């Protein structure tokens, strides 16, 4: 008893891709940047900074689809808040949010259908159901790839009324944003969804059964043993094991 290799690949890659895309969706590291603030004329009080001295304070800024964070480097000072303002209202950010949510829903539905189609409690799987689940998983992967592509292509201009190469915030000068870790999780998860979905779609191909020696035009199903002349050793039973 064995499970087809394509189904094994599909039911392994699809959930893994779903986890990675979900992780990317909820983390605020789609883009990140550093801003160096110069503080002049600071009177030192126990920190050894003289009046008129210049001290650089490095701020780390990161944005996700639903959350933004700001942290002072080499310290535990960190604050996160839901995305607001022009960034939240940017149509490209809203498009990415909608595509990611749709991708997660379709991938979850496809995985459920794939599990039902493989069916570990019967000998012959429901190939059509498993393949339909694979089709949904592929669609989910393409949606998330589209969202990631749109976001990455416009990463430096999201939320900016007047885009430029160097993004300068009034409070955080000289902030240049670049792709962050969540994007890479999303790309990897989306590719795994596409690969897993395509593997499941191979279930649309019907299994080959031996023909009846007496009637070559008649296909003998090993499950029903419709042809008495087929021995047990002549049949290749297509079964599923858990």
């Amino acid at each position: 008893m064995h499970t087809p290799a394509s189904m094994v690949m599909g039911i392994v890659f699809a959930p893994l891709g779903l986890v990675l895309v979900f992780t990317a969706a909820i983390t605020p590291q789609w883009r990140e940047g550093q801003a160096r603030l110069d503080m002049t004329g600071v009177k030192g009080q126990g920190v050894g900074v003289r009046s008129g001295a210049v001290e650089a304070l490095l701020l780390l800024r990161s944005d996700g689809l639903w959350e933004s964070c700001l942290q002072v480097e080499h310290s535990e000072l960190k604050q996160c808040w839901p995305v607001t303002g022009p960034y939240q209202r940017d149509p490209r950010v809203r498009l990415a949010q909608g595509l990611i949510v749709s991708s997660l829903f379709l991938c979850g539905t496809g995985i459920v259908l794939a599990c039902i189609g493989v069916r570990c409690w019967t000998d012959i799987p429901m190939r059509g159901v498993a393949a339909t689940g694979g089709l949904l998983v592929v669609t989910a992967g393409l949606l998330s790839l589209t969202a990631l592509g749109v976001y990455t292509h416009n990463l430096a201009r999201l939320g900016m009324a007047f885009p430029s190469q160097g993004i300068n915030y009034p409070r955080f000068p000289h902030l240049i944003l670049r792709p962050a870790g969540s994007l890479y999780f999303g790309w990897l998860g989306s590719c795994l969804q596409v690969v897993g979905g395509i593997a499941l779609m191979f279930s649309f191909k019907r299994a080959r059964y031996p023909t009846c020696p007496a009637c070559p035009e008649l296909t003998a199903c090993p499950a029903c043993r419709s042809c008495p002349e087929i021995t047990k050793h002549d049949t290749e039973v297509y079964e599923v094991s858990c």
Side-chain angles (χ1 to χ4, degrees):
M1 299 177 67
H2 64 279
T3 302
S6 61
M7 287 188 177
V8 173
M9 182 182 298
I11 60 178
V12 171
F13 281 11
L16 182 58
L18 176 63
V19 171
L20 290 175
V21 173
F22 178 76
T23 301
I26 63 175
T27 51
Q29 280 84 33
W30 283 56
R31 66 179 187 178
E32 62 184 6
Q34 296 179 347
R36 187 175 298 276
L37 300 181
D38 294 332
M39 301 182 297
T40 60
V42 180
K43 293 184 179 181
Q45 297 180 356
V47 293
V49 180
R50 297 180 179 178
S51 177
V54 177
E55 181 179 349
L57 182 64
L58 189 61
L59 300 179
L60 306 178
R61 170 70 182 267
S62 62
D63 294 312
L65 290 183
W66 285 276
E67 191 178 37
S68 298
C69 294
L70 186 66
Q71 182 179 7
V72 178
E73 190 181 37
H74 304 309
S75 73
E76 297 181 356
L77 297 176
K78 183 177 182 180
Q79 183 178 6
C80 296
W81 61 92
V83 293
T84 56
Y87 179 78
Q88 180 190 26
R89 296 189 296 270
D90 193 298
R92 293 160 295 191
V93 175
R94 291 182 175 271
L95 175 62
Q97 291 174 342
L99 290 176
I100 288 295
V101 171
S102 301
S103 172
L104 293 174
F105 174 77
L106 286 179
C107 188
T109 305
I111 292 173
V112 171
L113 289 178
C115 293
I116 295 175
V118 172
R119 293 203 315 176
C120 292
W121 58 89
T122 59
D123 291 338
I124 301 179
M126 301 172 63
R127 302 178 64 85
V129 176
T132 303
L135 181 60
L136 292 180
V137 174
V138 170
T139 304
L142 294 177
L143 289 178
S144 57
L145 285 174
T146 303
L148 292 162
V150 170
Y151 192 98
T152 304
H153 181 70
N154 302 282
L155 183 143
R157 300 186 294 271
L158 295 175
M160 299 301 297
F162 303 98
S164 61
Q165 292 183 352
I167 300 179
N168 296 323
Y169 290 87
R171 297 175 59 186
F172 312 117
H174 310 298
L175 179 61
I176 300 177
L177 298 172
R178 60 183 182 274
S182 296
L183 281 180
Y184 302 111
F185 280 105
W187 285 112
L188 179 59
S190 300
C191 293
L192 288 177
Q193 286 179 346
V194 173
V195 173
I198 291 176
L200 287 170
M201 288 178 63
F202 278 106
S203 300
F204 278 126
K205 184 179 179 181
R206 299 186 61 181
R208 293 183 177 181
Y209 298 123
T211 57
C212 179
C215 304
E217 69 280 0
L218 177 63
T219 300
C221 174
C224 60
R225 302 294 193 275
S226 58
C227 181
E229 298 185 25
I230 296 181
T231 63
K232 182 177 180 180
H233 299 286
D234 294 332
T235 60
E236 296 180 0
V237 181
Y238 188 78
E239 296 178 325
V240 177
S241 61
C242 298

